Amino acid sequence: MKIREHGARAACSFGALAAVAAIAAAPAIAAAPALATPPAEPYAPPTSGSSTTTPPFSTPNTDSCPQRTLPPAPIDTSEVPAPGEPTPSPLPVPSPAIGGERMGECGVVTPKGAPALPADISATSWLVADLDTGRVLAAKDPHGRYRPASTIKVALAIVALRELDLDKVVIGTQADADVEGTRVGIGPGGRYTNRQLMQALIMCSGNDAAHAIAAQLGGDEATVAKMNDVAKSLRAMDTRAATPSGLDGPGMSTSAYDLSVLFREAMSVPLFAELIHTEQVDFPGYPADPKIPDDKDHPGFPIANDNQLLYNYEGAIGGKTGFTDDARQTFVAAAERDGHRLAVTLLQADVRPIRPWAQAARLLDYGFALDTDARIGKLPETGSAAVQPSVPLASPPPRADGAPDVEQSAHQGARVATMIGIPLVVVVALLWGRRLIRRR
């Protein structure tokens, strides 16, 4: 079985739109795929001080540093190099650990006197950091090496937003449409601005969008080299991209620490901060294929953000999701509370006992509850060995009416108003899906 990402073409269009509609009534459905993924549990603050979950979903023990040099063994052949290509050697392990002495620890790392961790965290590795100061507040196996899945698109976004003309129109190709994994629904002959491709990449994790973007950056190999150069320049030394999209490939790895570093850098780009905070946009269609008899024009469609934290957590700024068979669930996101902005990363998580976004929410609650001077390490600052303010971080834009987007009740109300009637569409889709299943 080849490693793949969840979803299929238009999984983030109709499927995610339906998910948002369902969330408006009861925030309990993951964005994509619309018919195949079990419903997510609504987020609730933790009620226990236990650091483990109910068996068999106990948090994996990493005290012995099992992932110090390499991610866990793959489950199939997706990382086997192409014929004639060498197997990548493990990346060197920096010593001392980047970010401070305690960042070299492999188990749970918390400040002295900190309360017990929240329950139900199945992620093998995670980290909570202050976006503005770079302080690392708590972590588990911060430099352990894992696969990033689509969270590596954060690095692709950094490269693309630095190099591409966002107003340039790109023509979709059959190669874009044929990529493996999650696709937003790019079609051959469709006309897309780079801004729209970035929407598809960041909001919907479209591998077809990643392909179209990489083609403009010199192709997959050149794009991966640029992504790795960005990681190295930020001292994200556990990170090596193998594909632009995050599909697993030879030598692919990152760490919870590095993913926080990459996300923090991306958050300095205003458009990235805007797009991870955007709930829904319209995406172009594409023309009929003359090679297909009786094919008709494919109209445009709305696409929705696939990050459930954005809809369900007060103060959520946005983030990026990921999944492959080998990486499991990966996640990076941020939220703001009382003037503080925290980021959380999860690697090799599971959908149980609660969804990754809900695990992230509990870790964010934990981070916000710590003392304002709590720290166990720091994210890199160029030319500095101390915790200092970073380059200015972009803030998500206000709502269209000019009001600040901070109150969850108002946030939910707007969604309910704009999504009225869509639950009916969800029901129709479910019935249609069941008919297809019966036919098979």
Side-chain angles (χ1 to χ4, degrees), residues 14 17-22 280 302 418-428:
F14 178 82
L17 183 61
V20 174
Q280 179 184 323
T418 58
M419 292 298 174
I420 189 167
I422 295 181
L424 180 60
V425 177
V426 179
V427 173
V428 173

Side-chain angles (χ1 to χ4, degrees), residues 58-435:
S58 59
T59 304
N61 188 299
T62 56
D63 292 348
S64 63
C65 305
Q67 272 37 90
R68 182 177 291 278
T69 60
L70 289 171
I75 64 173
D76 59 25
T77 61
S78 291
E79 297 186 17
V80 175
E85 294 292 326
T87 299
S89 300
L91 293 169
V93 178
S95 181
I98 296 174
E101 181 180 355
R102 298 208 67 191
M103 293 294 92
E105 299 179 24
C106 300
V108 172
V109 191
T110 56
K112 184 178 180 180
L117 292 170
D120 300 333
I121 308 301
S122 66
T124 307
S125 177
W126 54 265
L127 185 142
V128 181
D130 188 304
L131 268 179
D132 296 293
T133 67
R135 289 181 299 119
V136 179
L137 307 183
K140 180 175 183 290
D141 200 14
H143 277 296
R145 291 171 177 177
Y146 301 86
R147 296 172 183 84
S150 277
T151 58
I152 202 64
K153 288 185 173 86
V154 172
L156 176 59
I158 294 171
V159 173
L161 290 171
R162 287 176 176 176
E163 295 194 20
L164 298 184
D165 176 0
L166 296 178
D167 295 322
K168 178 183 175 181
V169 175
V170 177
I171 306 301
T173 67
Q174 190 62 51
D176 297 332
D178 290 343
V179 297
E180 184 185 359
T182 304
R183 290 164 285 179
V184 68
I186 291 174
R191 298 174 60 83
Y192 311 94
T193 66
N194 276 324
R195 182 182 297 271
Q196 290 167 329
L197 293 179
M198 294 305 300
Q199 291 169 340
L201 180 81
I202 295 172
M203 295 173 60
C204 294
S205 204
N207 290 355
D208 45 359
H211 186 272
I213 290 167
Q216 298 179 73
L217 296 170
D220 284 3
E221 185 175 346
T223 301
V224 165
K226 292 179 180 183
M227 292 163 68
N228 288 331
D229 286 344
V230 163
K232 188 177 296 185
S233 72
L234 297 172
R235 302 188 71 205
M237 308 304 288
D238 305 314
T239 297
R240 177 164 56 197
T243 62
S245 66
L247 288 173
D248 297 318
M252 178 88 88
S253 74
T254 194
S255 65
Y257 182 91
D258 282 13
L259 190 52
S260 299
V261 172
L262 292 167
F263 184 74
R264 190 176 184 222
E265 176 69 14
M267 279 296 294
S268 69
V269 182
L271 184 58
F272 182 88
E274 175 186 330
L275 293 183
I276 65 167
H277 193 66
T278 301
E279 293 184 6
Q280 179 184 323
V281 295
D282 291 325
F283 197 72
Y286 53 96
D289 187 342
K291 299 177 184 178
I292 301 177
D294 300 322
D295 192 27
K296 298 179 180 179
D297 287 348
H298 302 263
F301 47 88
I303 60 175
N305 200 308
D306 64 5
N307 174 16
Q308 298 299 298
L309 190 78
L310 182 62
Y311 307 114
N312 294 296
Y313 189 79
E314 183 174 353
I317 293 172
K320 186 73 197 72
T321 61
F323 176 87
T324 66
D325 292 337
D326 271 341
R328 306 310 299 163
Q329 303 285 337
T330 62
F331 192 71
V332 58
E336 182 173 4
R337 184 178 298 174
D338 299 328
H340 297 285
R341 294 194 289 176
L342 301 186
V344 60
T345 60
L346 306 174
L347 292 173
Q348 197 171 326
D350 208 328
V351 297
R352 299 180 180 178
I354 56 177
R355 293 279 175 176
W357 70 263
Q359 296 180 43
R362 294 197 174 184
L363 289 171
L364 285 169
D365 282 348
Y366 181 83
F368 282 123
L370 293 174
D371 293 339
T372 55
D373 59 350
R375 59 168 287 184
I376 57 171
K378 63 181 181 65
L379 302 182
E381 297 293 348
T382 303
S384 172
V387 174
Q388 295 181 358
S390 71
V391 295
L393 296 173
S395 297
R399 297 205 313 261
D401 59 6
D405 189 10
V406 295
E407 291 297 326
Q408 183 74 356
S409 59
H411 192 62
Q412 295 246 113
R415 248 185 7 263
V416 173
T418 58
M419 292 298 174
I420 189 167
I422 295 181
L424 180 60
V425 177
V426 179
V427 173
V428 173
L430 289 171
L431 293 174
W432 178 72
R434 291 178 67 182
R435 290 184 62 191

